[in-house]
Amino acid sequence: GASVDLIPQPTDEEVNLVLRTRSQDEGTLRLYDSSGRLIRTEAFSITQPGKVIPLDVSALAAGVYVLEIAGRLIQETVKVSVY
């Protein structure tokens, strides 16, 4: 299995995406605003369990965003709160 954590939440500068999988994975992160508009796409690669990916959200307006994580082993959608 796989798990996803976002730390800290809410944030106004940077949020750390923690991806835990049992084996290596790669895929794409997609960040959407509250109206469903795609605002950022970023590739990711997991080489060890507990991979931490920092996401800079300092340029985003306050609100709730949706982060879609799409890899071979991990398929998750989580909310990112920005203040």
Side-chain angles (χ1 to χ4, degrees):
S3 69
V4 174
D5 287 313
L6 284 172
I7 306 165
Q9 281 247 59
T11 187
D12 64 345
E13 293 180 6
E14 185 176 88
V15 63
N16 290 306
L17 174 64
V18 183
L19 300 174
R20 294 182 185 87
T21 62
R22 293 197 173 137
S23 61
Q24 296 181 356
D25 198 2
E26 58 186 27
T28 305
L29 304 174
R30 293 182 184 91
L31 188 65
Y32 298 90
D33 67 12
S34 59
S35 65
R37 187 179 53 140
L38 178 65
I39 56 174
R40 185 183 303 168
T41 301
E42 186 176 319
F44 73 86
S45 177
I46 301 172
T47 54
Q48 77 271 358
K51 170 77 174 187
V52 177
I53 302 170
L55 300 173
D56 181 4
V57 296
S58 62
L60 300 179
V64 177
Y65 296 81
V66 174
L67 181 64
E68 179 184 275
I69 302 125
R72 289 177 296 119
L73 303 174
I74 189 166
Q75 302 284 327
E76 293 282 338
T77 302
V78 293
K79 291 185 178 177
V80 180
S81 296
V82 177
Y83 66 86

